[in-house]
Amino acid sequence: MSFQTVDNASSVANQIIYLRSLPAIRERCTRVHNLAQQGKLEYFDYHPEKETEVIDFCSQIIQRDFGTDYDKIPPHSRWRHFDVGRPRVQPLIDSWRSSNPVPSDLEIAKRLIDLFLVSVLLDAGAGNQWKYTEQHDGGDSFSRSEGLAVASFDMFVNGFFSADAKDPFRVDASALEKITTEKVEAAMQVSSSNPMSGVEGRTGLLANLGLALKSQSEFFGESARPGNMLDFLKTQSISSPTDPQKTRIHISALFTLLIEGLNSIWPPSRTQLDGVSLGDVWPCASLASAGGPKRKNSLVVIPDNVKFSPGAKAKSPAAVGEDLVPFHKLTQWTTYSLVEPIEKVLGWEVEGMEDMTGLPEYRNGGLLVDFDVLTLRPGAVASYRETPDSLPKLPPSHPAIIEWRAMTVIELDRIADGIRKKLNYNFTLAQVLESATWKGGREIAKQKRPTTGGPPIEIESDGTVF
C-alpha cells in the first residue's frame, strides 16, 4: 500500500460520510467533467459535439422498442434481466400466492429482496466467453448480465442460498458462509470450455455477505437475512399528511442501509480512509494533477495497483482526500433493483430517486467511447496489454478507468436531458438507463465488434466492480 495524508480527524470523519453518500457521486464526477471541458484529463479527450449522435441513436432505440408509449418503459432493474426470454419473476410470485399456506406480501417482498440482492452481487462482468444454459429440453443459453441473472435465479429457487431445505426461497448467512468457489462454478456451469471472469471474487462477496448479515442485526435481523431490511426501512418511513396509511421512504434510507450494512463485503484492497474501507471509491489522477487544499495528519490507504501519472504523483499528497471519486456502482444497481419489488409488492412509495446517478459501467461508458464522445489519447495506456482485438485491457483501479467512469456519470445526465428534449417526454433517469443507454451501449458494441460484442475498453474483472 502507499500512504498519503489528509486533514484532521473530525474533517476526515465527515469526508468518509460524504464519500459514502449519493450527492458525493455526482459532485465529484462533475469535478472530473469540468476538467474534461478544459482539456485537462490525463487519459481522455472530450468531444461534446458528438453527444448529438448518441442522443439520436438512443432515441431511435426507444421509438423502435416502445413507439410513443413512453409511460410503459420500465425502470432499470434486475427484474428485466430475470425475465430475459420469458417471464420468471411474476410466475414465481404467483406460485407463492397459490401455495399453502399463502405467504404475506411482506414475506414475498423479503424473498424478492433476498433474490435480487445476491443476484446483483453476482452481476460483475463475466467475460466474453461465458454463457449459462437453462436446464430443460431445448434450454436457452444466455450470456453476460442476463446469463448471470438466470443462473442466480435458478440457484435461488433450488435453495442454493438457503440453509433450510424445507424453506428454499431465502438467503441466509449460514448458507452463504458454506459457499465455495467450486460450488459457484458448478452452479454457474463454469468450466475450461466455458470460463468466467472473477469467480473467486464473486464467491468472496457471497461469503462476506454472510458475515455482514450476521454482524448487522440492526438491519438484517436476528435471522441474518437480506429481506429483513424491510423491517428496518419501515422504521425509517416518512409520514404522509394526506395518506397516513401510505408507507413512504426516501431513497437515501435504502442506499445508506446498503452502504453501511454491506460495507464489510468489499475486498480489503479497496481505498481506505483512516482504516475505513470506502468501497467503490478511487483516487483520480486528473483531480490529483489539478491540485487542491493541503491536508495533514490522517492516513489514506491507496491500493498498490493504482498508478498515478508522474505529474499527478507529484501533487497528489497535498489533497488526496479531495481527489477521491465515489461511484458505488453495485450499491446503486442494488438500490435501483430493490426499489421495484418494494413498490410493486408492498405498495410503498420511494422518494428522492433524482439523487441516484447513471451507472458507470462498461455498457453505458462504452456507448461514449464507441461514439467518440470520449477518445483515449494516443499512447495513454500503451504500457498495458491489449486484447486480440487490439483493445486496451485495464484493471478497474487504473486511473484511465476512473476518468472513464466519472465522465460516464455526468454524460448520462446530459444524454438523458437531450433525449427528454428530443422526444418531448420527461423520462426518469432509470427509464433512460433501461430503454436507451445500457441497451444502446450493447447494440453499438455488437455493431463494432460482432465477434465478441464486448466493450471498447476491456476490464480485468475481479467479480466485484463491473
Side-chain angles (χ1 to χ4, degrees):
M1 295 291 179
S2 56
F3 302 88
Q4 304 188 24
T5 56
V6 295
D7 189 40
N8 60 60
S10 63
S11 295
V12 172
N14 289 335
Q15 190 170 67
I16 290 170
I17 294 170
Y18 179 64
L19 289 170
R20 297 164 74 195
S21 72
L22 282 171
I25 301 171
R26 194 171 266 115
E27 183 270 327
R28 291 294 171 95
C29 291
T30 296
R31 291 193 198 180
V32 178
H33 197 274
N34 289 341
L35 291 175
Q37 294 178 54
Q38 302 168 46
K40 293 183 178 180
L41 295 185
E42 299 275 334
Y43 294 90
F44 286 93
D45 288 318
Y46 173 44
H47 308 282
E49 70 278 4
K50 295 287 187 177
E51 291 171 356
T52 301
E53 296 179 36
V54 179
I55 292 166
D56 290 344
F57 182 74
C58 289
S59 297
Q60 290 168 8
I61 291 175
I62 292 174
Q63 292 177 315
R64 179 197 70 194
D65 294 345
F66 295 95
T68 57
D69 294 330
Y70 303 142
D71 59 336
K72 293 183 179 179
I73 297 174
H76 199 44
S77 164
R78 195 60 165 163
W79 197 310
R80 308 285 85 69
H81 294 165
F82 287 133
D83 284 352
V84 61
R86 62 181 175 86
R88 292 179 182 80
V89 177
Q90 191 58 52
L92 182 61
I93 295 172
D94 292 342
S95 71
W96 291 336
R97 286 180 169 155
S98 62
S99 64
N100 186 18
V102 178
S104 65
D105 284 347
L106 178 60
E107 172 58 25
I108 289 174
K110 286 186 175 184
R111 293 179 182 184
L112 294 179
I113 296 295
D114 284 357
L115 166 61
F116 282 42
L117 179 62
V118 292
S119 184
V120 168
L121 291 181
L122 291 168
D123 192 36
N128 294 331
Q129 297 177 272
W130 177 82
K131 65 180 180 180
Y132 178 79
T133 303
E134 288 190 284
Q135 299 301 297
H136 58 75
D137 292 339
D140 295 323
S141 294
F142 305 99
S143 61
R144 300 187 182 276
S145 285
E146 289 89 347
L148 291 165
V150 175
S152 56
F153 183 91
D154 288 348
M155 293 161 74
F156 176 78
V157 298
N158 290 323
F160 186 88
F161 307 108
S162 174
D164 185 352
K166 296 180 180 179
D167 189 10
F169 305 115
R170 61 181 290 126
V171 174
D172 50 51
S174 55
L176 293 174
E177 290 175 335
K178 297 176 183 177
I179 290 176
T180 64
T181 300
E182 291 73 23
K183 290 180 180 179
V184 172
E185 288 178 333
M188 291 193 156
Q189 303 171 359
V190 177
S191 66
S192 58
S193 60
N194 190 35
M196 172 189 283
S197 300
V199 180
E200 294 83 0
R202 292 169 220 277
T203 305
L205 282 184
L206 293 177
N208 290 341
L209 174 61
L211 296 174
L213 294 174
K214 279 188 172 181
S215 65
Q216 298 284 353
S217 58
E218 176 187 9
F219 300 138
F220 304 117
E222 293 302 321
S223 58
R225 176 186 180 190
N228 288 338
M229 72 172 69
L230 294 173
D231 299 324
F232 176 83
L233 288 173
K234 182 74 172 179
T235 68
Q236 306 298 304
S237 61
I238 310 164
S239 60
S240 172
T242 57
D243 186 0
Q245 301 303 313
K246 185 80 170 181
T247 298
R248 298 161 54 232
I249 61 170
H250 196 275
I251 193 64
S252 61
L254 175 56
F255 179 81
T256 301
L257 183 155
L258 294 171
I259 283 286
E260 295 290 339
L262 303 183
N263 186 58
S264 62
I265 76 173
W266 307 114
S269 58
R270 292 289 170 79
T271 302
Q272 298 177 22
L273 193 57
D274 265 14
V276 177
S277 179
L278 300 178
D280 190 9
V281 179
W282 308 85
C284 179
S286 54
L287 287 182
S289 292
K294 292 188 176 182
R295 300 180 178 276
K296 299 179 179 179
N297 297 332
S298 293
L299 196 62
V300 175
V301 182
I302 305 299
D304 289 326
N305 57 357
V306 173
K307 306 295 184 185
F308 285 107
S309 67
K313 191 173 183 179
K315 297 179 182 180
S316 60
V320 70
E322 295 296 322
D323 302 338
L324 298 178
V325 180
F327 300 113
H328 304 301
K329 180 262 179 180
L330 276 179
T331 304
Q332 286 206 84
W333 180 216
T334 305
T335 304
Y336 275 121
S337 296
L338 299 190
V339 165
E340 191 166 13
I342 287 173
E343 291 185 331
K344 282 187 174 179
V345 176
L346 293 179
W348 292 7
E349 182 178 323
V350 181
E351 300 180 348
M353 290 298 293
E354 65 276 5
D355 291 345
M356 297 282 286
T357 75
L359 300 179
E361 46 76 55
Y362 67 80
R363 288 305 185 197
N364 290 321
L367 181 70
L368 304 174
V369 175
D370 277 334
F371 275 96
D372 292 331
V373 176
L374 297 175
T375 56
L376 270 172
R377 292 181 173 174
V381 294
S383 61
Y384 284 81
R385 66 189 182 92
E386 294 184 339
T387 67
D389 296 324
S390 298
L391 300 174
K393 187 166 187 175
L394 307 173
S397 58
H398 190 282
I401 301 300
I402 310 310
E403 284 188 358
W404 185 28
R405 298 181 75 195
M407 290 297 293
T408 297
V409 169
I410 304 306
E411 282 298 301
L412 288 171
D413 284 342
R414 291 168 63 91
I415 291 166
D417 284 340
I419 293 172
R420 293 178 188 119
K421 292 174 182 176
K422 184 175 181 66
L423 299 183
N424 193 30
Y425 187 84
N426 190 27
F427 298 98
T428 66
L429 183 55
Q431 287 179 306
V432 172
L433 295 173
E434 177 60 31
S435 65
T437 59
W438 190 86
K439 188 182 297 183
R442 169 175 282 184
E443 293 191 13
I444 192 63
K446 191 64 177 176
Q447 291 178 27
K448 287 182 171 286
R449 292 167 294 279
T451 302
T452 66
I457 301 172
E458 290 283 358
I459 307 298
E460 295 177 357
S461 176
D462 66 353
T464 67
V465 179
F466 281 79

